[in-house]
Amino acid sequence: MVHFRDWPLRQQCQRFSSLLVQRLNFGGRAIALSTLLALACVSGGRRLGLWQGLEIASFDLLTRLQTTQPPDSRLLLIEVTERDLEIYGWPLSDQVVADVMARLQRHAPSVIGLDLYRNTPQPPGRDALAQQLQADNVIGIRNVGSQPNGGEVPAPSELAPDQVAFNDLAIDPDGIVRRNLLYVGNPAEGHYSFPLRIVLAYHDDLDFVVDQEGDRLRIGETTLPALLPGSGGYANIDNRGYQILLRYRTPGSPARTLTIDQVLNEQVPPDWVQGNIVLIGSTASSLKDEFFTPFSLEQSSRFLMAGVEVHAQAISQLLDAIAGEPALYRFMPQWGELLWTATWVVMAGALGWRMRRPANLLLVGVVAVATIWGLAGLALAQLLWVPVIEPMAGFLLALGLVVTQKALYRSSYDQLTLLPGRDVFLLHVQRALQQQADGDWGLPVTVVFMDVDRFKLINQSFGHSVGDRVLRTMAQRLRQHLPESAHVSRVGGDEFAFLLPAHDVKTVDRALNHLQAALAKPVLITQRPLSITSSMGVAMAHQGRPPKAEDLLRDAHTAMYRAKALQEDYRYEIFSTTMHQEAIRRLDLESHLLSAFEHQEFLLHYQPIVCLQTKRIKGFEALVRWYRQGEGFVSPGQFIQVTEETGLIISLGQWIFREACCQLQQWQQQFPGRDLKMSINLSRRQFHQVDLVEQFAQCLDQLGVPGHQIQLEITESMIMGDVDEAQRLMHQLKDLGLKLAIDDFGTGYSSLSYLHRFPTDTLKIDQSFVGRMDNHGDDYEIVNTIVSLGHKLGMDLVAEGIETQAQIEMLLAIGCDRGQGYWFSKPLSSQEATVLLQGACPWEL
């Protein structure tokens, strides 16, 4: 990527760009602006090194996709394996190393590279090793900086200076070896790497030149350009010395291999050695002389490469380069990288402006990314490293910028009402808040959010054209009755917002009452006058605690919903912090409810229903519980209502029915002598569910549970809304054999004139009466009346919420059959309820 160093030229380019942008239409300006911004961001990211990690990761991936080459026949690798360590120990004795070198020398190798430290004697055999080290074709190693103690490890003293090389490797910040450090220093006093020294010994007829001015090395006619900080995907690397990008011949060893034991046992093919380069080094994992390479996916140990193998890769690369074969990576010039990236960025801007459908934009993005990858892969196959992440980032950034500008352009003004849109309104609010913060005035900023009542009903009843007419009328009246400084805007389907030029509650009340009265004037629709009312929410930002514009509009929106919930004409609400807190808690609860099904956090508890005379358990009421990991049980009062309002109760109710039936089936098998019944609460949403009967019938049939052992509990309010429909549904449920109970009887409509029409089996007396009957005579009389009524209608009676022995005696005296409550037992888990059925109940003792 080009880094602008010539500032006057850069300023001229900026002036030219500015003039060009002024002469373009909005689309052209959007494309030009997006292109310039994307290029600037990509260039800045490169200078800051933001793309380097991704670029080298993409280089690794493309490298892994390249075809590998066969082992280099010019190289032979003598490995110190784990088996060799078992046989000969570690470190290898000088005698073993000397014997290995002697056996190799018999076959006239061109060079022997000893990639083992021999700076201290390892008896026996020091003299024998010293004699082998005096051979002209031996190259040894020293280490100049990678030891744990930071010290240098010298080469054996028997070696001449031109037979010594450093074996330090250039490791990238992510721990991967991608670079080949060849030479450090000046021509007069330089240090040679192990691969370079071996190659020069192999090609002793070629001159070696260090070209400091050209920043390159030359071996004969072969030029080795030094790696620069900005080469390829690099942006910020330590490029001291002369480095090249390392080409890996294979993911593993690039040469034919033999072990130390094979050499000592004379198992060496002579043609593998004669005239070739022989490296002696360790590949045993226990010696920890291993490095990550581009083939080390996720840096696992699967593709770790021994140091001697890395050196063999580097030697093979240099040999190929000298032989005139493709071996050295090439890089685009900076202007070429700029042109490559700019092409994709301009293309993204043009396509982003022309495409209309999001699906097409997504397809364009996928195709562009795939094309960049494909072209980069083809280039890398020719050893040309082309940046990948920069054009991708530029393309996606330019595409996003153009689409954003197009969306802003189209959303700035509503085409139906000709009012500004949400974003423009937020800008006005932000400007007002800024003026308030700057002290231009100390008055609060007041935002009003307005929603047209029953607008959905108007659309459904009269059609969308009439709905559009209503919106235009409301917009016209808002403009008519509000000053221009109100900045009336349409922020949603039937939602408007404006800044109210009123700064205290009394003024707000007077202004909004007047405005709502004006808006509610009848609108003539299909020759009939229709009054259109609205709900409004108000949020005020005082100078002491100025919020963001989005927060202020959100607060006004929240207050509007509170006003709408009150269902009063000419109604508005002023926002308070409790509204926002309640909304956050509600959304948080809804979010956790959705995940509760996936995490199986719901469970059933069972409260015994007891015969008051015999004290025997006659059945259980299934009660849903929600256990959140790390927080414990959530009160049903907190989540049941939310499941009703969101519709989650449909799936939850079906799960409760099936789970309760399964549990009853298990108890029937465990306790065949007991005639247990399971009571299950039915929600209002379920009661109006179209396929409720079919679902219950299917569940009973699948589980083989008789319907008469299941009792559904229904509240009075559920059946009194539409008596005929409720009666029809209840008869359908009775046809399945199900028992029906009216829950919490006495707290709802208690319409005695309708009660006999419903096919009800049981009345459940609400706990509010039972709990007070031993202290309040009125409650006792109510319970007595309900029991008498139930008996006359042939129904069973169940008293809820029994907590004292005195209540049991009073209920027995008036003829109540059964009861439940904490006197007998709290709701129990299935295991606890099973234990209760197995033994004597505590209340029987």
Side-chain angles (χ1 to χ4, degrees):
M1 184 65 62
V2 169
H3 305 307
F4 291 103
R5 305 181 190 277
D6 189 353
W7 288 101
L9 177 61
R10 182 181 182 183
Q11 293 170 355
Q12 292 174 12
C13 292
Q14 289 177 338
R15 268 193 230 106
F16 174 75
S17 300
S18 177
L19 292 173
L20 181 62
V21 167
Q22 292 175 6
R23 294 180 179 274
L24 296 174
N25 57 23
F26 186 85
R29 291 199 302 271
I31 294 173
L33 180 61
S34 301
T35 299
L36 293 174
L37 285 175
L39 284 174
C41 290
V42 170
S43 178
R46 181 183 178 91
R47 298 186 67 176
L48 294 174
L50 300 181
W51 314 122
Q52 178 172 299
L54 295 173
E55 285 287 5
I56 60 179
S58 67
F59 171 81
D60 292 348
L61 178 57
L62 293 173
T63 298
R64 291 193 287 269
L65 297 176
Q66 302 299 318
T67 58
T68 60
Q69 297 175 280
D72 195 330
S73 60
R74 296 164 296 187
L75 297 175
L76 174 62
L77 182 58
I78 308 301
E79 300 178 317
V80 181
T81 64
E82 297 289 353
R83 178 163 161 46
D84 292 325
L85 297 182
E86 294 175 4
I87 299 173
Y88 303 103
W90 183 261
L92 297 177
S93 68
D94 290 341
Q95 187 63 57
V96 170
V97 177
D99 290 344
V100 169
M101 295 178 67
R103 284 165 174 75
L104 293 172
Q105 291 286 19
R106 294 175 190 171
H107 304 294
S110 177
V111 183
I112 292 180
L114 185 59
D115 196 4
L116 297 172
Y117 292 123
R118 291 285 109 181
N119 57 304
T120 57
Q122 301 294 336
R126 186 60 183 177
D127 292 339
L129 178 59
Q131 182 179 357
Q132 292 297 325
L133 292 176
Q134 291 174 4
D136 294 337
N137 64 342
V138 175
I139 303 296
I141 60 170
R142 65 186 179 95
N143 185 281
V144 295
S146 63
Q147 295 305 297
N149 59 9
E152 180 177 331
V153 180
S157 58
E158 293 82 359
L159 293 174
D162 60 353
Q163 292 178 272
V164 176
F166 64 81
N167 72 333
D168 301 77
L169 298 176
I171 301 176
D172 281 344
D174 59 357
I176 294 178
V177 178
R178 300 185 184 87
R179 293 171 285 142
N180 183 4
L181 176 60
L182 297 176
Y183 186 87
V184 177
N186 53 56
E189 185 179 353
H191 302 277
Y192 294 74
S193 71
F194 187 59
L196 178 60
R197 184 70 85 179
I198 286 179
V199 170
L200 292 178
Y202 183 76
H203 286 288
D204 56 0
D205 57 327
L206 298 179
D207 294 329
F208 174 69
V209 177
V210 178
D211 184 357
Q212 287 184 303
E213 294 184 0
D215 211 6
R216 58 191 175 183
L217 303 176
R218 283 203 305 270
I219 302 176
E221 300 297 326
T222 304
T223 301
L224 306 174
L227 191 68
L228 300 177
S231 297
Y234 285 115
N236 213 349
I237 59 168
D238 181 2
N239 69 321
R240 289 177 294 179
Y242 292 83
Q243 306 175 28
I244 62 173
L245 196 62
L246 179 57
R247 183 215 63 184
Y248 283 85
R249 189 181 188 94
T250 63
S253 176
R256 294 176 292 198
T257 61
L258 293 173
T259 67
I260 293 291
D261 190 55
Q262 286 177 313
V263 175
L264 293 176
N265 285 289
E266 303 290 350
Q267 299 175 10
V268 180
D271 58 321
W272 285 18
V273 179
Q274 187 174 9
N276 292 330
I277 297 173
V278 181
L279 301 180
I280 305 173
S282 167
T283 60
S285 298
S286 61
L287 298 181
K288 303 186 183 307
D289 183 28
E290 294 178 318
F291 300 89
F292 294 116
T293 73
F295 297 97
S296 304
L297 183 61
E298 297 179 355
Q299 296 198 356
S300 66
S301 60
R302 181 179 177 187
F303 286 111
L304 283 174
M305 189 173 292
V308 68
E309 293 175 324
V310 175
H311 285 149
Q313 299 277 9
I315 293 170
S316 178
Q317 179 185 21
L318 293 176
L319 292 177
D320 285 345
I322 294 172
E325 299 177 13
L328 300 176
Y329 282 99
R330 295 170 294 124
F331 310 99
M332 299 176 69
Q334 290 186 342
W335 64 265
E337 291 185 2
L338 175 63
L339 182 60
W340 162 251
T341 302
T343 300
W344 289 102
V345 170
V346 173
M347 188 185 305
L351 291 174
W353 186 260
R354 293 178 63 86
M355 296 291 177
R356 296 181 179 274
R357 298 181 180 178
N360 291 342
L361 286 172
L362 179 62
L363 180 61
V364 164
V366 171
V367 170
V369 169
T371 303
I372 293 172
W373 269 101
L375 293 176
L378 293 175
L380 197 63
Q382 304 301 316
L383 299 181
L384 175 63
W385 187 359
V386 175
V388 172
I389 303 303
E390 291 180 35
M392 282 186 186
F395 184 93
L396 296 177
L397 181 59
L399 190 65
L401 288 171
V402 167
V403 170
T404 300
Q405 290 185 79
K406 184 167 64 172
L408 289 174
Y409 172 71
R410 292 181 177 177
S411 65
S412 296
Y413 281 84
D414 173 47
Q415 300 304 308
L416 177 65
T417 62
L418 301 181
L419 291 176
R422 175 191 181 90
D423 296 329
V424 175
F425 179 71
L426 287 173
L427 290 175
H428 290 306
V429 176
Q430 189 60 48
R431 186 179 299 117
L433 291 171
Q434 187 61 48
Q435 290 174 341
Q436 182 191 64
D438 293 341
D440 290 354
W441 71 78
L443 298 176
V445 177
T446 303
V447 171
V448 181
F449 196 104
M450 188 192 89
D451 180 84
V452 179
D453 296 334
R454 301 177 300 158
F455 183 74
K456 183 178 180 181
L457 179 62
I458 294 171
N459 264 341
Q460 292 175 343
S461 302
F462 301 104
H464 290 280
S465 60
V466 173
D468 291 345
R469 180 181 171 189
V470 169
L471 292 176
R472 283 194 295 267
T473 301
M474 298 298 282
Q476 182 180 357
R477 290 179 179 179
L478 285 171
R479 280 195 297 258
Q480 181 180 352
H481 291 89
L482 289 171
E484 186 176 349
S485 60
H487 300 294
V488 180
S489 305
R490 184 186 177 191
V491 295
D494 60 337
E495 298 169 338
F496 299 86
F498 52 88
L499 285 166
L500 189 66
H503 309 294
D504 59 82
V505 175
K506 184 180 294 185
T507 308
V508 168
D509 181 74
R510 184 169 57 252
L512 292 186
N513 285 333
H514 172 74
L515 179 62
Q516 286 185 317
L519 294 175
K521 291 180 180 179
V523 178
L524 195 62
I525 297 177
T526 62
Q527 304 303 317
R528 287 178 293 184
L530 181 65
S531 180
I532 307 296
T533 59
S534 61
S535 299
M536 297 183 182
V538 181
M540 305 175 72
H542 296 272
Q543 194 171 21
R545 292 179 297 173
K548 296 180 181 179
E550 294 86 350
D551 296 340
L552 198 60
L553 185 62
R554 178 205 63 201
D555 294 344
H557 195 184
T558 302
M560 183 276 295
Y561 273 117
R562 175 64 63 85
K564 185 176 284 290
L566 296 174
Q567 296 181 346
E568 298 181 11
D569 294 339
Y570 307 111
R571 182 67 191 179
Y572 72 88
E573 283 290 321
I574 297 178
F575 174 79
S576 63
T577 55
T578 56
M579 294 183 186
H580 181 58
Q581 294 168 357
E582 290 174 5
I584 293 297
R585 284 195 295 268
R586 169 64 179 263
L587 290 174
D588 182 63
L589 187 62
E590 288 184 19
S591 175
H592 284 95
L593 276 171
L594 290 171
S595 62
F597 284 101
E598 301 175 7
H599 299 154
Q600 299 180 348
E601 295 178 352
F602 290 113
L603 64 156
L604 291 183
H605 280 188
Y606 304 91
Q607 187 171 40
I609 298 175
V610 181
C611 175
L612 297 182
Q613 292 182 343
T614 65
K615 303 299 189 295
R616 297 274 292 173
I617 296 177
K618 306 300 291 182
F620 291 88
E621 180 179 358
L623 300 168
V624 66
R625 294 293 184 262
W626 179 16
Y627 184 82
R628 288 178 60 178
Q629 293 293 334
E631 298 187 19
F633 285 100
V634 181
S635 170
Q638 294 182 22
F639 72 88
I640 291 295
Q641 182 64 29
V642 177
T643 60
E644 283 269 9
E645 295 175 2
T646 60
L648 292 172
I649 194 66
I650 298 296
S651 54
L652 179 60
Q654 187 61 28
W655 176 84
I656 293 171
F657 186 85
R658 176 174 287 275
E659 188 73 11
C661 288
C662 289
Q663 184 59 62
L664 180 63
Q665 184 187 44
Q666 293 179 20
W667 283 335
Q668 288 172 340
Q669 295 172 354
Q670 288 181 266
F671 312 103
R674 288 183 178 266
D675 184 22
L676 297 174
K677 289 183 173 56
M678 183 69 74
S679 294
I680 302 172
N681 290 284
L682 199 63
S683 70
R684 182 184 300 274
R685 282 282 189 109
Q686 285 180 283
F687 196 71
H688 296 93
Q689 188 179 341
V690 176
D691 60 344
L692 178 69
V693 177
E694 290 78 3
Q695 286 190 5
F696 283 174
Q698 183 181 11
C699 183
L700 293 173
D701 182 61
Q702 290 175 351
L703 299 176
V705 176
H708 69 273
Q709 293 184 323
I710 303 296
Q711 179 168 273
L712 300 178
E713 298 188 5
I714 306 168
T715 62
E716 294 176 75
S717 59
M718 289 165 55
I719 60 179
M720 297 307 298
D722 186 340
V723 174
D724 294 333
E725 179 62 25
Q727 188 178 10
R728 183 190 64 81
L729 177 60
M730 292 172 74
H731 278 292
Q732 289 180 339
L733 294 172
K734 290 289 291 182
D735 290 341
L736 298 178
L738 297 170
K739 299 293 184 179
L740 299 178
I742 294 183
D743 194 18
D744 302 333
F745 187 77
T747 60
Y749 291 90
S750 300
S751 178
L752 303 183
S753 61
Y754 282 103
L755 185 59
H756 70 281
R757 295 176 53 183
F758 298 115
T760 309
D761 302 287
T762 303
L763 289 181
K764 298 195 72 174
I765 307 170
D766 187 68
Q767 60 182 350
S768 62
F769 303 124
V770 176
R772 297 193 301 263
M773 64 183 296
D774 51 351
N775 295 320
H776 298 83
D778 292 342
D779 292 302
Y780 173 81
E781 292 299 330
I782 291 174
V783 174
N784 190 16
T785 301
I786 295 174
V787 172
S788 299
L789 175 64
H791 285 159
K792 290 179 181 179
L793 295 176
M795 298 181 185
D796 295 327
L797 280 303
V798 177
E800 297 181 297
I802 298 175
E803 296 182 350
T804 65
Q805 180 64 36
Q807 293 169 359
I808 295 177
E809 294 172 357
M810 297 176 72
L811 289 168
L812 284 171
I814 60 179
C816 184
D817 307 318
R818 290 172 289 167
Q820 66 185 96
Y822 275 68
W823 175 256
F824 299 109
S825 173
K826 66 178 182 178
L828 304 171
S829 67
S830 59
Q831 295 85 357
E832 293 171 329
T834 302
V835 172
L836 195 64
L837 289 170
Q838 288 172 339
C841 299
W843 56 83
E844 296 181 25
L845 301 177

